[in-house]
Amino acid sequence: MTNKALSIAERTLLEPAGLEPSRLESIIGSILEAPVDLADIYLQYARSESWMLEDGIIKEGHHNIEQGFGIRAVCGDKTGFAYSDVIGFDTMMTAAANVRAIARHPADARQIVSVAKRTHRLYPATDPLHSLGNEDKIDLLRRLDQLARQSDPRVEQVIVSLAGTYEVILIATQEGALHADVRPLVRLNVSVIMVQNGRREQGSAGGGGRTDYRLFLEEGRAEGYVSEAIRQAQVNLEAGEAPAGSMTVVLGSGWPGVLLHEAIGHGLEGDFNRKGTSAFSGRIGEQVASPLCTVVDDGTLAGRRGSLNLDDEGTPTGHTVLIEKGMLKGYLHDRLNARLMNSAPTGNGRRESYAYAPIPRMTNTYMLAGPHTPEEIIASVEKGLYAKNFGGGQVDITSGKFVFSASEAYWIEHGRITRPVKGATLIGNGPDVLTRVSMVGNDLELDPGVGTCGKDGQSVPVGVGQPTLRVDGLTVGGTNV
Amino acid sequence: MEALETRLGPLEDKVALVLEQAKKLGASGAEAGAGLDEGLSVTSRMGEVETVEYHCDQSLGVTVYFGGRKGSASTSDLSEKSLRETVEAACVIARHANEDPCAGLPDKETLAIDIPDLDLNHPWQLSAEQAIELATACEQAALDYHQDIVNSEGATVNTHHGIRVLGNTLGFLHGYPASRHSLSCAVVGKRDDQMQRDYWYTVARDSSDLEAPEKVGLEAAQRTLSRLGARSLSTRQVPIIYAAEMATSLIGHFLAGVRGGNLYRKTSFLLDSLGKKILPDFVHIHEEPHIPKGIGSAPYDNEGVATYPHDLVREGIVASYILDSYSARKLGMQTTGNAGGVHNVLIDPGKLGRMQMLQEMGTGLLVTELMGHGINLVTGDYSRGAAGFWVEDGNIQYPVEEITIAGNLKDMLANLVSVGKDIDRRGNIRTGSIWLANMTVAGN
């Protein structure tokens, strides 16, 4: 890691507690007296703020500081974990004694596979909260509110929120290494309610990334969120009943890549596959998608919401091919599961905070571009749904069934978009949905930086992306039979 | 863990100190809440311990008012220096916020005075070893149930014990301890090439009220087995019975529709519904915040306003919204003691058990799992993934999956056919199974 991140981490996390880096080593040493396979200490400091405008006024703001440490010992597939908000030698030694007890059986002889050392500098080691003065933050929110209200007389309510986090982490591993990272994260969201003839509809848009607030001032991004939110509400004001049943679906580019996150990504996380509870378990090398599909998880994209210089176990993030030309290639690993499956960690060991043990998680998951223009894809459909934007999704890992909910959709007839239809949930089966991809667009796009993924009660920021896709046969959950 | 109660006094002192500092910095009003929480979480999988986690959390949050200008801040570091900085951070925000005539502390007369003891504190002296034994017994009952139960996500025992203190500059300062324990189990079944997973759980304030580990494991195994052989349905319109454990979500959507924040923002499908009929005559929904040992029980809400039992729906008519002081003022009403949410919402049961309801329905869908978040609260449009059972002649025919169910919440509530007597008492919302008239089921 960069020396800058390390010196910030030592100054932020160790010095106030009067801890020398060598003390971390002796705490790890006390865990290693027991026959454990893996031991680490994760220290974290996070400062975050949010500002909210509603009813045309700055209604409230919040400031939060969280800090603490988590200590882990792993023995085979057993994990002992303890954490505390109080960083100090004594609290750490108590926690170490607790987690060490997990090693009641001799460790096996499997070695940790070492990974090539890479150093990423994907985002600046700065505090985004200070990148704009408070007055400027408030001015931005006010300006967006006014812009929204001037854009369309049907706008009744505007909610604008701005949030930023400055996070510093320090990881001490059993190899004696100290890894540090400074992680900025910002987010802006605009939500509008529009009313027409008594009908009320919502539209929302936003974005962000691992950078500072100036992101929103550049290239008219903030104003772009306003016009996008209004456009979505306008479309929804005209939307008719959504269709019900199995049909051809064209998925838009960008955020609709949540399809890949739910249908494919979760099912390829190492923990489920080691345990054999995933619908994808034991299927490496099998054809699980059309040859048009190549899907990757990439934590190394500069400034992206899902990116990390290193994961929460100190492993540099990577570019992992999940599906190559339709064939299942690889899993996403943390250290524990990589070790138990005799493979290398892929830099996907993540945790919500020091209060959680790391588990395999996605970073930025997307499909590579294909040969077709989006216009060709729409034109190829006789009758079907064009789902341009989505809300969130969910998956049942074991059965492979997944859902994701369209928030903006249109009916296609004779190769033309005819009319907007209401949002609806789409449901499919992860291991075979991509086998029905018959066209892949040349318009790969990543989402604007809005994704949050939940697993085992832990939330982490993620990214998704895809080009426009044609799927032959996906169940659309509307009301119109 | 006994030590926690002895820390109630010192935590109250910290809250009082924060309030004092807010006043010194010029705040016209302030409220602060603090909590300490300790816990143990143990998972056993395939007969062996998988994780042992020790939890230890603390936090303090403060909201300050300068007239109608509001700012808030929170921290996990309860040192005096950090608390001072937290109050300052809240004041900085308040100075930048705009004057909002509705913002401020609750009206003094709404604050709780007599604090009822709701019997919420039953710490469990459970060692990691004992927890492992319980989890293992629970999972083993599931694994032993049938040869088609081939794998497991494990069984988890959780025990938490904490104290919470709330204070404001109107003189309110109270705190109380509470505990919460749970046991859950999720297993995987396999038949032919199909794998299915399902789970069950039990949760209680007092560990002696938890279901037996073997019973939880058995229920998880039976639910998983019953799903094997699931197929999709063709698209159709049929009546739907939500099993009690899923019906809680329907009541949850109703509650979201009458929540003050959604009403004043006009982001609800139940705008202006107070005094209007939105459900059939026989439906009675009420909040009971003072049930002893209740999972949702609380003597006062997050603002210190006294909670009280009251009707939300009487004879199908909305009898009360769900309001905190701010949303009440925005709507020109009185707070209902619901800052932070509801406290034990109950719907009166009907006469039929689940099997009798299936008999009465004849042909339709029994839903036992819902997926995704396809609910548009502004319009009431509803579209979710589902799994469950196809019912004909009043009997379960086969398990179904990869289907969606869709409708509009206004119609769904208005066309509620009956509520079962098979009440799920585990959560903050207690209901029996709910039978709804025709909805659209989409499938292959």
Side-chain angles (χ1 to χ4, degrees):
Chain A
M1 262 319 91
T2 60
N3 286 332
K4 187 180 175 192
L6 193 57
S7 66
I8 291 174
E10 288 183 6
R11 201 168 63 231
T12 309
L13 292 161
L14 300 183
E15 279 173 24
L19 281 169
E20 292 288 322
S22 62
R23 297 288 260 176
L24 298 181
E25 250 176 82
S26 60
I27 296 163
I28 295 254
S30 80
I31 302 173
L32 295 176
E33 283 167 19
V36 301
D37 300 317
L38 237 175
D40 55 20
I41 308 175
Y42 181 91
L43 297 105
Q44 181 190 30
Y45 169 90
R47 200 154 66 80
S48 54
E49 66 168 4
S50 62
W51 297 89
M52 200 259 281
L53 176 147
E54 182 184 284
D55 294 331
I57 60 171
I58 303 297
K59 198 163 265 191
E60 58 185 45
H62 189 79
H63 181 270
N64 180 48
I65 291 182
E66 241 187 297
Q67 62 174 40
F69 70 87
I71 290 194
R72 177 173 67 139
V74 175
C75 183
D77 58 359
K78 301 171 177 52
T79 300
F81 180 70
Y83 66 90
S84 167
D85 314 274
V86 183
I87 297 175
F89 186 73
D90 294 343
T91 51
M92 288 176 148
M93 282 303 276
T94 307
N98 275 334
V99 304
R100 189 171 56 206
I102 198 73
R104 281 181 296 179
H105 310 282
D108 57 36
R110 262 180 290 202
Q111 289 299 305
I112 289 170
V113 183
S114 63
V115 273
K117 280 269 176 266
R118 283 169 301 211
T119 309
H120 300 313
R121 292 191 65 174
L122 305 173
Y123 35 83
T126 54
D127 181 348
L129 278 60
H130 291 141
S131 61
L132 274 188
N134 287 337
E135 290 299 338
D136 294 330
K137 294 169 196 168
I138 285 162
D139 280 348
L140 173 65
L141 300 194
R142 286 219 182 91
R143 208 170 70 229
L144 299 180
D145 175 59
Q146 283 158 10
L147 178 63
R149 289 177 191 277
Q150 285 159 8
S151 301
D152 192 313
R154 294 171 293 179
V155 170
E156 186 189 73
Q157 176 66 283
V158 180
I159 299 174
V160 190
S161 60
L162 180 73
T165 303
Y166 169 68
E167 191 184 356
V168 180
I169 62 152
L170 183 66
I171 307 160
T173 68
Q174 85 218 52
E175 294 86 358
L178 270 185
H179 305 282
D181 198 11
V182 176
R183 299 168 172 174
L185 187 66
V186 293
R187 169 89 194 256
L188 175 65
N189 198 74
V190 180
S191 172
V192 299
I193 294 276
M194 284 173 64
V195 184
Q196 175 178 282
N197 302 330
R199 183 168 172 181
R200 191 175 295 276
E201 293 284 352
Q202 195 162 22
S204 66
R210 292 205 178 276
T211 176
D212 64 42
Y213 289 136
R214 287 173 298 181
L215 173 78
F216 304 122
L217 306 180
E218 295 158 0
E219 296 169 26
R221 267 192 200 92
E223 293 78 4
Y225 302 152
V226 172
S227 49
E228 175 60 16
I230 286 181
R231 193 191 61 75
Q232 285 192 18
Q234 287 168 342
V235 170
N236 286 331
L237 278 173
E238 308 296 332
E241 294 300 304
S246 178
M247 62 194 71
T248 298
V249 176
V250 176
L251 299 169
S253 61
W255 177 249
V258 67
L259 160 84
L260 306 170
H261 179 99
E262 303 297 353
I264 306 293
H266 276 300
L268 297 179
E269 289 167 340
D271 45 357
F272 301 123
N273 287 282
R274 170 176 64 81
K275 297 172 188 175
T277 57
S278 166
F280 286 99
S281 299
R283 299 186 63 178
I284 293 274
E286 284 183 29
Q287 196 78 23
V288 296
S290 109
L292 296 166
C293 300
T294 295
V295 181
V296 301
D297 183 85
D298 190 344
T300 70
L301 305 172
R304 284 277 157 191
R305 184 172 162 89
S307 298
L308 294 172
N309 286 323
L310 42 81
D311 73 3
D312 295 321
E313 298 179 300
T315 308
T317 51
H319 173 101
T320 306
V321 178
L322 301 176
I323 292 173
E324 188 171 26
K325 296 189 171 129
M327 193 177 290
L328 188 59
K329 295 294 277 194
Y331 297 129
L332 297 172
H333 281 309
D334 61 353
R335 293 183 73 170
L336 184 157
N337 288 289
R339 192 175 155 278
L340 294 172
M341 291 181 81
N342 286 317
S343 35
T346 54
N348 291 87
R350 302 185 63 185
R351 52 211 292 172
E352 178 179 308
S353 76
Y354 63 86
Y356 299 87
I359 47 175
R361 302 298 292 265
M362 284 170 264
T363 58
N364 304 295
T365 313
Y366 59 94
M367 183 186 288
L368 303 192
H372 304 100
T373 65
E375 296 75 23
E376 278 178 301
I377 296 177
I378 300 275
S380 75
V381 177
E382 186 50 33
K383 248 185 198 182
L385 187 78
Y386 174 42
K388 191 167 187 290
N389 209 351
F390 280 85
Q394 193 184 332
V395 61
D396 178 328
I397 297 298
T398 303
S399 72
K401 304 299 175 278
F402 70 94
V403 294
F404 58 140
S405 298
S407 59
E408 181 187 352
Y410 303 84
W411 185 240
I412 308 175
E413 238 169 318
H414 310 307
R416 282 168 197 270
I417 291 171
T418 56
R419 57 192 160 81
V421 295
K422 287 183 178 191
T425 289
L426 277 58
I427 190 163
N429 182 34
D432 73 33
V433 65
L434 292 190
T435 62
R436 280 182 263 131
V437 170
S438 58
M439 295 173 94
V440 176
N442 58 9
D443 57 339
L444 167 63
E445 205 183 309
L446 299 175
D447 78 274
V450 294
T452 298
C453 167
K455 173 180 171 183
D456 293 357
Q458 297 197 47
S459 292
V460 296
V462 295
V464 298
Q466 69 180 26
T468 300
L469 298 181
R470 174 179 159 148
V471 184
D472 296 335
L474 198 53
T475 297
V476 177
T479 51
N480 199 4
V481 180
Chain B
M1 290 217 236
E2 274 309 327
L4 265 185
E5 279 79 1
T6 64
R7 293 166 71 183
L8 199 50
L11 198 61
E12 284 179 352
D13 293 345
K14 281 185 197 290
V15 167
L17 183 78
V18 162
L19 295 173
E20 204 52 48
Q21 265 162 0
K23 280 198 279 192
K24 264 189 211 151
L25 290 173
S28 55
E31 67 188 10
L36 298 177
D37 195 70
E38 291 180 353
L40 172 68
S41 171
V42 167
T43 299
S44 245
R45 180 175 171 270
M46 299 307 278
E48 296 214 43
V49 56
E50 182 175 62
T51 57
V52 177
E53 295 188 7
Y54 297 86
H55 304 263
C56 174
D57 294 286
Q58 57 178 21
S59 65
L60 183 142
V62 59
T63 300
V64 298
Y65 296 97
F66 287 73
R69 291 181 296 153
K70 176 185 177 187
S72 65
S74 53
T75 179
S76 68
D77 177 358
L78 304 193
S79 69
E80 226 169 280
K81 174 171 173 282
S82 159
L83 294 182
R84 203 167 45 240
E85 287 167 2
T86 300
V87 178
E88 281 163 10
C91 291
V92 166
I93 289 169
R95 275 192 231 87
H96 285 88
N98 292 117
E99 184 73 24
D100 181 345
C102 295
L105 294 173
D107 300 330
K108 190 163 184 179
E109 62 274 15
T110 62
L111 295 174
I113 298 166
D114 300 316
I115 313 291
D117 178 1
L118 302 178
D119 198 17
L120 306 179
N121 189 36
H122 298 269
W124 195 1
Q125 307 303 328
L126 186 72
S127 68
E129 286 68 29
Q130 291 167 317
I132 291 165
E133 261 177 52
L134 281 175
T136 308
C138 176
E139 192 205 28
Q140 201 59 47
L143 294 173
D144 289 347
Y145 180 69
H146 195 279
Q147 63 189 23
D148 287 345
I149 302 292
V150 296
N151 202 341
S152 169
E153 286 185 2
T156 299
V157 174
N158 251 304
T159 171
H160 278 271
H161 174 214
I163 52 176
R164 294 266 175 285
V165 171
L166 182 69
N168 65 28
T169 50
L170 298 173
F172 186 91
L173 184 62
H174 289 287
Y176 60 91
S179 57
R180 184 186 171 101
H181 322 288
S182 67
L183 171 61
S184 63
C185 181
V187 289
V188 174
K190 189 172 185 181
R191 192 178 301 150
D192 303 323
D193 265 344
Q194 193 181 80
M195 277 207 298
Q196 295 286 354
R197 159 205 176 276
D198 211 330
Y199 67 96
W200 196 244
Y201 72 95
T202 174
V203 57
R205 298 282 190 184
D206 182 342
S207 63
S208 68
D209 296 329
L210 290 173
E211 281 180 22
E214 293 76 12
K215 191 158 175 256
V216 174
L218 200 66
E219 185 71 28
Q222 287 171 342
R223 288 176 69 91
T224 299
L225 273 184
S226 70
R227 292 175 71 149
L228 287 168
R231 48 184 133 143
S232 187
L233 286 172
S234 61
T235 301
R236 60 189 76 183
Q237 287 187 318
V238 289
I240 293 183
I241 293 175
Y242 286 69
E245 64 273 17
M246 292 297 121
T248 53
S249 70
L250 286 176
I251 305 297
H253 302 322
F254 155 72
L255 295 173
V258 295
R259 184 162 295 141
N262 290 325
L263 292 170
Y264 86 74
R265 289 187 186 98
K266 298 191 176 168
T267 51
S268 165
F269 65 101
L270 292 175
L271 293 182
D272 303 317
S273 59
L274 190 67
K276 300 216 176 98
K277 195 160 152 59
I278 62 157
L279 282 147
D281 286 338
F282 59 84
V283 176
H284 180 214
I285 302 175
H286 47 115
E287 187 184 19
E288 304 290 344
H290 299 166
I291 297 174
K293 289 184 171 181
I295 283 295
S297 294
Y300 47 84
D301 73 1
N302 286 2
E303 295 180 302
V305 171
T307 53
Y308 59 99
H310 63 280
D311 285 343
L312 296 170
V313 172
R314 197 183 310 121
E315 294 177 350
I317 295 167
V318 176
S320 172
Y321 289 152
I322 295 168
L323 306 173
D324 57 11
S325 297
Y326 181 76
S327 59
R329 286 178 196 137
K330 290 289 278 185
L331 295 165
M333 296 178 174
Q334 283 289 314
T335 175
T336 56
N338 288 112
V342 294
H343 310 99
N344 302 319
V345 169
L346 283 61
I347 181 167
D348 284 359
K351 294 193 174 63
L352 304 179
R354 192 175 304 182
M355 287 306 144
Q356 292 164 301
M357 285 173 89
L358 296 182
Q359 289 289 333
E360 291 268 317
M361 179 177 72
T363 297
L365 181 68
L366 169 64
V367 169
T368 55
E369 176 156 322
L370 289 162
M371 288 179 80
H373 316 281
I375 291 124
N376 183 336
L377 212 56
V378 179
T379 60
D381 289 327
Y382 180 102
S383 166
R384 297 189 76 183
F389 300 89
W390 180 245
V391 178
E392 263 174 51
D393 302 326
N395 294 312
I396 285 173
Q397 303 295 313
Y398 50 84
V400 295
E401 64 177 5
E402 208 177 336
I403 54 169
T404 59
I405 53 178
N408 185 283
L409 282 166
K410 276 189 242 180
D411 304 329
M412 290 160 65
L413 295 175
N415 298 326
L416 189 152
V417 180
S418 74
V419 180
K421 62 179 182 183
D422 56 334
I423 300 167
D424 184 344
R425 294 174 197 280
R426 295 174 295 180
N428 194 21
I429 297 172
R430 302 183 183 186
T431 176
S433 296
I434 291 182
W435 172 6
L436 300 182
N438 275 7
M439 288 177 67
T440 304
V441 174
N444 59 11

